[in-house]
Amino acid sequence: MSLRIGLLRRTISAVSIVGMDAEVPAGRIVVVIDVIRAFTTAAVAFERGVTEIACAPSVEVGRGLRRLHPDRLLVGEANGLKPPDFDFGNSPFEMSTAQLDGRRLIQATSNGTLGLARCPNPAALLAVSAVNVGATARWIACNHADVPYTLICTGRTAEDWACARYLAGLLDGSAPARADLVTGIMDGATEHAHHYAQLPASERPDVSRDLRFCCDVDRSSFAMVGEVHKDHVVLVKVPC
């Protein structure tokens, strides 16, 4: 993949990679990153034919949206596990076998969808994981090449920060190594596993079947572009 055509080289001053607690100035391109697993799950759902995803900042808001729109499927997690009343967990593997053509989803997760809700006044808002990182870079280059951007890493583990560095490299016109991104994702998975090992067995999320999706760099040829609503963000896929 190459982004050389039509891509303006950016200066370091235009780039900001931050965590969830940072304040993001209005008017920037904001890219919210969650590799394991929210936005990998979202991307696979779009691959399976989902038309839009309403991303809620909490399980409670997700349930409220479901009451307003009972035809929509409710997807996500609390503490990494699928709540009993949700249709699907926060799992790209689970999405990959679901019948979703033409459906609309509501997604609520601990980090990714919460991160989207923290950006009320962006010039543009996108959700990304490794599976659509190249398409996201192309969308930004084609639509907002000269606008400063902020990359929000919603997790504290290595995978989101590796994805942010990779995306920043693409936008800067360099050629970051996919192997480094995959290594970062696997390092993050190891960090998650160490944390889960301290929990009772019944409280441990099982992400083993999801990791091959999380590491599948550029499997999805679309950006996930968000529209800010009062209490949630609606994502749609934009081929790019």
Side-chain angles (χ1 to χ4, degrees), residues 18-65:
V18 301
M20 279 274 274
D21 296 334
E23 291 189 12
V24 179
R28 296 177 72 94
I29 306 301
V30 179
V31 184
V32 182
I33 303 168
D34 191 323
V35 176
I36 305 176
R37 299 168 283 171
F39 297 144
T40 304
T41 299
V44 175
F46 279 127
E47 291 175 2
R48 298 291 293 173
V50 164
T51 59
E52 69 174 41
I53 302 175
C55 294
S58 69
V59 166
E60 290 74 19
V61 173
R63 288 175 174 139
L65 289 171

Side-chain angles (χ1 to χ4, degrees), residues 12 19 33 51 59 66 91-92 106 153 166 173 177 197 199 202 214 238 240:
I12 292 299
I33 303 168
T51 59
V59 166
R66 168 69 161 260
S91 168
I106 300 164
C153 300
Y166 187 89
L199 301 175
S202 62
C214 297
V238 180
C240 193

Side-chain angles (χ1 to χ4, degrees), residues 97-111:
T97 60
Q99 299 300 315
L100 299 173
D101 194 43
R103 299 301 299 266
R104 291 186 289 179
L105 302 187
I106 300 164
Q107 186 181 29
T109 68
S110 302
N111 291 319

Side-chain angles (χ1 to χ4, degrees), residues 62-79:
R63 288 175 174 139
L65 289 171
R66 168 69 161 260
R67 287 191 291 271
L68 291 173
H69 306 283
D71 60 315
R72 301 186 186 186
L73 297 170
L74 188 53
V75 175
E77 51 81 19
N79 298 318

